[in-house]
Amino acid sequence: MNAVEQLVLELAPPPAPTLDNFHVGGNGALLGALRAALATGGVFYLWGPGGAGKTHLLEAMVAAARAEGRHATYVFCAGPVSLPAQTRMLALDAVGNLDAALQIAAFDACNRMSAGNGLVLASGDLPPADLPLREDLRSRIASGVVMQLRPLSEEEKRAVLAGRARQSGLDLAPGILDYLMERYARDLGTLVAAIDALDRYSLQTQRAVTLPLLRESIRLQTGLQTGLQTGPQ
């Protein structure tokens, strides 16, 4: 792997998720309710499509609680996981993936947190009534604050990407954002990563950010990722 290939793969790590660096869009009321939940506790469920920012918000809430000196735990509910017996905040990401035993533990955690002014945060792709969970857990989740997380519009995503480019000192040629929006996954994290990769590739090659450079960067990334996925196991 040459220096340019290595540079494209080693993207600068994104900043840690916080409530302040979440791209709000039409979710101002939801963000305000999350901030309030830090003080009030209880059960809070947010739902929306993949890529809308659910993981960002749960991790940001855990970070905010820890900054206040509270014990807080983030759990991604896929595969073998364990739920802590003692914590002041429990964030259950993709709660619909919990197995039968963990659903019982999550139900107990909701009751325990509510009784002790703790906070259970949960996220999923579906509203509570449609979650593939035990009826008692679905009802417990639905009894708290339930809010829908709305993904950014295309124009809002364009504004975020343009702002990211400005912060990096990138002078984007016309058509760059159109090309990215048409060919990359529409979730914001992937699009921002593409801007970061393009920035570093432009610096390494000492070339202006044009459509040919973007196409070359994408071809390089795609080829490398394919090679990594199909290489020796």
Side-chain angles (χ1 to χ4, degrees):
M1 183 182 299
N2 64 35
V4 174
E5 292 170 333
Q6 186 69 32
L7 191 67
V8 173
L9 280 182
E10 293 177 355
L11 299 177
T18 70
L19 295 177
D20 290 331
N21 66 16
F22 178 69
H23 300 292
V24 179
N27 297 296
L30 184 148
L31 191 62
L34 282 173
R35 292 184 187 277
L38 281 171
T40 60
V43 178
F44 195 115
Y45 178 69
L46 59 94
W47 65 278
K54 298 187 295 292
T55 296
H56 180 115
L57 286 174
L58 264 62
E59 291 182 341
M61 287 287 284
V62 167
R66 289 174 177 171
E68 296 177 354
R70 286 186 275 171
H71 188 281
T73 305
Y74 168 87
V75 177
F76 182 67
C77 304
V81 299
S82 60
L83 303 186
Q86 298 295 327
T87 187
R88 297 299 299 159
M89 176 190 292
L90 179 60
L92 301 173
D93 200 355
V95 70
N97 292 325
L98 289 174
D99 64 25
L102 287 173
Q103 289 179 44
I104 296 174
F107 178 73
D108 291 341
C110 287
N111 291 334
R112 187 171 62 251
M113 294 287 189
S114 295
N117 294 323
L119 175 61
V120 173
L121 292 170
S123 75
D125 296 339
L126 302 170
D130 297 329
L131 288 171
L133 299 173
R134 294 164 49 107
E135 177 58 33
D136 55 0
L137 181 56
R138 282 202 309 270
S139 298
R140 194 68 186 86
I141 289 173
S143 70
V145 177
V146 177
M147 299 190 75
Q148 182 178 4
L149 181 62
R150 302 186 182 281
L152 295 182
S153 68
E154 182 166 313
E155 287 308 308
E156 288 169 335
K157 289 179 182 178
R158 287 175 181 271
V160 170
L161 295 176
R164 183 77 168 204
R166 286 194 299 271
Q167 290 174 358
S168 301
L170 279 181
D171 184 15
L172 298 180
I176 291 288
L177 292 183
D178 290 335
Y179 192 92
L180 281 175
M181 296 291 290
E182 289 170 2
R183 287 164 175 78
Y184 262 59
R186 292 303 183 92
D187 68 278
L188 190 58
T190 300
L191 291 167
V192 168
I195 289 289
D196 290 345
L198 184 59
D199 177 28
R200 300 190 64 174
Y201 192 49
S202 172
L203 288 172
Q204 177 68 16
T205 59
Q206 294 295 299
R207 291 160 60 190
V209 180
T210 60
L211 275 175
L213 185 77
L214 174 59
R215 295 189 186 102
E216 184 178 317
S217 173
I218 291 175
R219 284 197 301 271
L220 180 59
Q221 293 175 72
T222 302
L224 286 171
Q225 290 166 0
T226 301
L228 290 173
Q229 292 167 0
T230 58
Q233 300 298 312

